[in-house]
Amino acid sequence: MANSNLFDLSGKVAVVTGAAGQLGGEYVNTLFRAGAKVAAFDINFNSPKNSLPKTESDSFITVKVDITKKESIQDGLQRVIDVLGTPSILVNNAALDAPPNASEQDTGPFEDYPEKSWQAMLDVNVTGMFYCCQVIGGHMAKHGGGSIINISSIYGILSPDQRIYEYKSAEKPFFKPVAYSVTKSAVLNLTRYLATYWAGKNVRVNTLTLAGVFNNQDQTFLKNYIAKVPLGRMARQDEYNGAIVFLASGASSYMTGANMVLDGGYSCW
Ligand SMILES: NC(=O)c1ccc[n+]([C@@H]2O[C@H](COP(=O)([O-])OP(=O)(O)OC[C@H]3O[C@@H](n4cnc5c(N)ncnc54)[C@H](O)[C@@H]3O)[C@@H](O)[C@H]2O)c1
């Protein structure tokens, strides 16, 4: 018989990457409240964009991990095993929207998009997620299975509509850059590949595709963006939490290799 609380995560151990970011902190708190023990991974906890549980304990830890370095993830996993236990939930949330020290060229014409930026974006958004799946997903596959949630974006399933950003081009051309879209598209097939690869090991792998979160963007951007959203607004930062619990828990037990799209309807016309 099914668990009476389909969404219960009691006793599970979860790893959330990019946990010091705007949405990562939401996921940490949500999984924690649903009963999971949570390891928050990030490269930098100096100024978290969201609140995290105040004190570390045997059910919550922060771990400094650079997901572009496989050894750093291996060390992080060992800490999780030692303090919390074997993980069975992995939220691959860490990503860059723009490379560190982005220059004017980064938002200039595609033809001049810097190779260095392209590589920096691939390193975190694709290779970093690949390493986390190898190390943490691989461990889950050997130890009873679990659920992996790979975070993508509407810009990974659709091209950015450059008309949203045209108003920024008054003095020099401005384009939403290519690398973010390409890396977020790669997430979809990493998910499908691993869903079939680990199907026999009880590891489910799904993509969660998100649209833009309200973050005090300027009025022209908001007007242009919202015109494309049937629900008529950007997402609140807490509006993806339900999907995280659904995908992490037994409530989604027959779901793998799928792409769950939460976009206020952005992609339906
Ligand atoms: N915020 C949005 O509007 C939006 C929309 C669609 C999709 N998303 C996706 O949601 C996820 C989270 O977005 P966010 O807005 O919270 O981003 P954010 O920039 O607030 O957080 C990202 C976190 O990743 C961490 N990080 C970066 N490089 C790292 C590395 N090498 N190792 C470990 N951690 C690293 C950063 O330190 C940061 O804390 C991303 O995957 C993003 O693509 C966000």
Side-chain angles (χ1 to χ4, degrees), residues 95-169:
L96 299 176
D97 188 14
N101 310 315
S103 65
E104 271 178 18
Q105 266 192 318
D106 284 283
T107 50
F110 166 79
E111 289 84 345
D112 301 327
Y113 187 73
E115 197 180 317
K116 203 167 155 219
S117 303
W118 173 260
Q119 195 55 54
M121 296 291 289
L122 283 174
D123 285 349
V124 177
N125 297 7
V126 181
T127 310
M129 189 178 285
F130 157 75
Y131 285 151
C132 287
C133 288
Q134 270 195 325
V135 174
I136 302 169
H139 187 82
M140 283 159 56
K142 275 200 201 127
H143 295 89
S147 172
I148 300 177
I149 305 165
N150 292 329
I151 304 295
S152 184
S153 158
I154 48 166
Y155 287 175
I157 59 171
L158 301 167
S159 170
D161 183 342
Q162 299 292 355
R163 292 171 300 181
I164 295 176
Y165 305 94
E166 238 165 29
Y167 72 101
K168 296 188 180 199
S169 294

Side-chain angles (χ1 to χ4, degrees), residues 1-241:
M1 198 164 102
N3 185 330
S4 59
N5 181 355
L6 282 172
F7 300 95
D8 184 26
L9 297 177
S10 304
K12 308 254 187 217
V13 175
V15 175
V16 178
T17 69
Q22 187 185 17
L23 297 176
E26 288 287 329
Y27 306 153
V28 168
N29 287 305
T30 298
L31 293 166
F32 193 65
R33 279 195 299 268
K37 300 179 178 190
V38 184
F41 280 17
D42 206 290
I43 195 170
N44 185 350
F45 284 98
N46 291 343
S47 44
K49 293 185 191 162
N50 210 325
S51 62
L52 294 171
K54 290 284 170 272
T55 45
E56 305 222 355
S57 64
D58 59 0
S59 51
F60 170 71
I61 53 172
T62 56
V63 192
K64 198 169 168 189
V65 170
D66 177 354
I67 63 164
T68 67
K69 310 251 174 342
K70 196 167 171 180
E71 320 76 65
S72 176
I73 303 166
Q74 284 163 331
D75 292 347
L77 172 63
Q78 195 53 55
R79 175 111 196 279
V80 175
I81 295 167
D82 291 346
V83 182
L84 306 181
T86 299
S88 64
I89 298 164
L90 168 63
V91 185
N92 275 317
N93 163 75
L96 299 176
D97 188 14
N101 310 315
S103 65
E104 271 178 18
Q105 266 192 318
D106 284 283
T107 50
F110 166 79
E111 289 84 345
D112 301 327
Y113 187 73
E115 197 180 317
K116 203 167 155 219
S117 303
W118 173 260
Q119 195 55 54
M121 296 291 289
L122 283 174
D123 285 349
V124 177
N125 297 7
V126 181
T127 310
M129 189 178 285
F130 157 75
Y131 285 151
C132 287
C133 288
Q134 270 195 325
V135 174
I136 302 169
H139 187 82
M140 283 159 56
K142 275 200 201 127
H143 295 89
S147 172
I148 300 177
I149 305 165
N150 292 329
I151 304 295
S152 184
S153 158
I154 48 166
Y155 287 175
I157 59 171
L158 301 167
S159 170
D161 183 342
Q162 299 292 355
R163 292 171 300 181
I164 295 176
Y165 305 94
E166 238 165 29
Y167 72 101
K168 296 188 180 199
S169 294
E171 280 165 25
K172 46 185 102 60
F174 181 100
F175 298 94
K176 179 74 184 171
V178 61
Y180 184 72
S181 295
V182 172
T183 60
K184 285 295 167 184
S185 227
V187 171
L188 296 165
N189 233 35
L190 178 63
T191 291
R192 295 187 193 103
Y193 182 95
L194 291 175
T196 59
Y197 181 76
W198 278 327
K201 301 282 185 191
N202 193 36
V203 178
R204 297 185 298 107
V205 189
N206 291 291
T207 299
L208 177 58
T209 291
L210 314 178
V213 176
F214 178 71
N215 199 9
N216 296 310
Q217 292 91 342
D218 69 68
Q219 286 304 318
T220 313
F221 172 84
L222 287 172
K223 184 170 139 288
N224 294 351
Y225 181 92
I226 285 168
K228 294 180 64 73
V229 183
L231 289 187
R233 60 180 177 83
M234 300 196 80
R236 294 192 312 269
Q237 68 179 26
D238 64 355
E239 284 188 298
Y240 302 126
N241 296 344

